[in-house]
Amino acid sequence: MRVLVATSPWPTHYFIVQPLAAAFRAAGHEVLVVAQPSMADLVTRSGLPMAAVGTDVDLVEIRRRTLSQELKGRQKPEDADLAADGGQVFDTWQQAAFANLDPVLDLARSWKPDLVLADTMCPPGLVAAQDLGVPGIRHLWGWDFFGSEGSEKVLAQLPGFYEPYRALGLDVRGDPALRTVDPCPPSLQPPASPARLQVQYVPYNGAGSAPGPGLRRNGKGTPRVCVTWGRSISRIIGERAFLVPRVIRALGGLDIEIVVAVDAASREHLGELPDNVRVLESPPLHLILDDCDAIVHQGGSGTVLNAIRAGLGQLAISHMADQDNISAALAESGAGIHLPGEQADEEAIRAAVTRLLQDPHIRTAADRLRAELLAQPTPAQVATDLAELATARTDN
């Protein structure tokens, strides 16, 4: 079988889709990733072949355009004009998401896949599946209403959602995806519809080297806290959203070890560090979490899922609506604490991390959430199920 994997130019979203794509290939299927040219190195280093199509779209710049509307709806939802503000945000993202629709369609028509797997922010993949008459499968990367009860009603209310399909003469109603694959533990998501297919989250955090043995615990029983922060939100909002220096100051005086996982550009903003802080540049995150007791991060879905699999209590400090959603769900589960960025002063951060390390209820909830995640079908099992689904539709 041929599987076309359509991914957006947001690297961490591809990281979440990659394990299922790799599972298809391991099962003997032919897999091809289609993405914009800027993704070529990241995808090929993950071990999968890629077709680079279209032109590069800068999603960070797109999000800067919609930032004022997003923040208005986030901070004062009761005052937000969803028809105007929400419609403007959706319209801007719709234009960006479909900028490379034609080259994706050309590639799909030429390669003729039997199934298309598309990340949530790459809807051209689902258009291509409808155009070819093959199963289109959406892959979530975090909290989302897709594949939930009532999601089709929400889609019908989004202005212009079906226009790319209608422009090709396709009469699409309801959800254009035949199934929605979800790597989140079900308790973190809205109630599922029959179209949602759970998959166990398996960490893939890009190519990289494992930290050396010097990172192992010192044997003194000192608690270890991981602090990790991406650059995407800082690039959108500005340096005020890069809170690692504040977190380190907040944790000063606590008898703990701190492991900071950031990229090289972020390291330059850390300044002078206490002796109990060790900085690692861009490590594969899952390789360091097993030796930690808690984690502080900015609420990114990939980080949340990595920490759930490691069974850690989490402090999520969010600045954007998508981070708010998964961070709030995490806090509601009892396995973490959520602080909106504007509330995350040093005192609040210190109190939250102290509670993560001392509250047994958080540990119990984190263990429960980890068990829920591990109980989901593996990518290998889901790849088999989807291949059978595609074969059954072909036979009919």
Side-chain angles (χ1 to χ4, degrees):
M1 194 174 76
R2 283 187 164 184
V3 179
L4 184 65
V5 179
T7 186
S8 71
W10 207 284
T12 52
H13 296 178
Y14 173 71
F15 289 169
I16 293 178
V17 175
Q18 193 273 348
L20 181 54
F24 274 114
R25 191 175 190 191
H29 303 297
E30 190 175 354
V31 174
L32 180 65
V33 179
V34 59
Q36 68 179 40
S38 66
M39 292 287 287
D41 181 63
L42 182 144
V43 171
T44 54
R45 291 182 70 194
S46 79
L48 295 174
M50 175 182 152
V53 302
T55 57
D56 287 329
V57 177
D58 186 349
L59 292 187
V60 169
E61 178 56 35
I62 298 299
R63 197 150 195 188
R64 286 194 188 117
R65 294 185 208 168
T66 64
L67 181 61
S68 60
Q69 289 82 20
E70 287 193 63
L71 294 181
K72 179 181 177 182
R74 172 181 180 258
Q75 295 172 357
K76 296 183 178 180
E78 68 279 4
D79 297 331
D81 185 342
L82 296 180
D85 298 333
Q88 181 178 346
V89 171
F90 177 77
D91 184 62
T92 301
W93 278 101
Q94 184 89 331
Q95 293 179 39
F98 285 100
N100 288 323
L101 173 60
D102 288 343
V104 169
L105 281 173
D106 290 343
L107 185 279
R109 289 166 178 169
S110 172
W111 198 62
K112 301 187 186 318
D114 301 289
L115 179 144
V116 179
L117 178 67
D119 114 42
T120 307
M121 291 182 64
C122 194
L126 299 182
V127 177
Q130 290 281 345
D131 180 67
L132 295 172
V134 301
I137 311 298
R138 179 190 295 108
H139 199 304
L140 302 184
W141 42 266
W143 188 97
D144 214 316
F145 70 89
F146 283 118
S148 65
E149 294 177 359
S151 60
E152 292 191 1
K153 188 175 296 185
V154 175
L155 294 179
Q157 296 172 352
L158 293 175
F161 179 82
Y162 295 106
E163 287 307 313
Y165 300 91
R166 292 170 181 159
L168 294 170
L170 299 170
D171 183 19
V172 176
R173 303 169 190 269
D175 193 337
L178 183 63
R179 296 287 187 274
T180 293
V181 175
D182 184 7
C184 287
S187 64
L188 294 189
Q189 293 281 43
S193 73
R196 187 184 293 168
L197 190 62
Q198 294 298 141
V199 66
Q200 182 183 137
Y201 173 73
V202 174
Y204 175 76
N205 294 291
S209 301
L215 186 64
R216 295 298 178 188
R217 291 181 181 275
N218 60 19
K220 299 178 181 179
T222 305
R224 175 176 287 175
V225 176
C226 175
V227 180
T228 185
W229 221 266
R231 292 296 296 175
S232 58
I233 300 303
S234 299
R235 290 172 60 200
I236 296 167
I237 297 180
E239 288 305 316
R240 65 184 175 85
F242 184 70
L243 300 188
V244 176
R246 185 188 302 176
V247 172
I248 294 173
R249 290 195 304 270
L251 302 185
L254 296 182
D255 184 19
I256 61 174
E257 297 178 10
I258 302 172
V259 176
V260 177
V262 292
D263 63 12
S266 298
R267 185 169 190 163
E268 298 176 1
H269 296 271
L270 299 183
E272 188 174 351
L273 298 171
D275 292 338
N276 66 336
V277 176
R278 176 167 179 179
V279 180
L280 301 177
E281 290 186 9
S282 302
L285 186 60
H286 62 287
L287 297 181
I288 66 174
L289 293 188
D290 283 345
D291 280 315
C292 294
D293 299 289
I295 185 170
V296 182
H297 56 75
Q298 63 179 1
S301 295
T303 306
V304 169
L305 291 172
N306 271 277
I308 289 174
R309 188 171 179 112
L312 299 184
Q314 308 180 47
L315 170 58
I317 304 175
S318 63
H319 287 87
M320 305 287 282
D322 53 335
Q323 299 171 324
D324 290 342
N325 289 331
I326 194 165
S327 300
L330 175 70
E332 188 174 346
S333 77
I337 299 170
H338 173 215
L339 286 177
E342 57 273 16
Q343 298 177 16
D345 57 27
E346 292 183 25
E347 182 178 354
I349 293 170
R350 185 182 303 109
V353 171
T354 299
R355 185 180 161 208
L356 290 181
L357 296 173
Q358 296 179 355
D359 189 339
H361 296 96
I362 292 178
R363 166 59 60 193
T364 299
D367 289 342
R368 183 173 61 244
L369 203 56
R370 179 177 186 270
E372 184 183 354
L373 182 150
L374 294 176
Q376 304 310 309
T378 66
Q381 292 172 303
V382 173
T384 297
D385 291 345
L386 290 176
E388 291 175 354
L389 178 67
T391 299
R393 287 175 63 87
T394 300
D395 292 343
N396 293 334

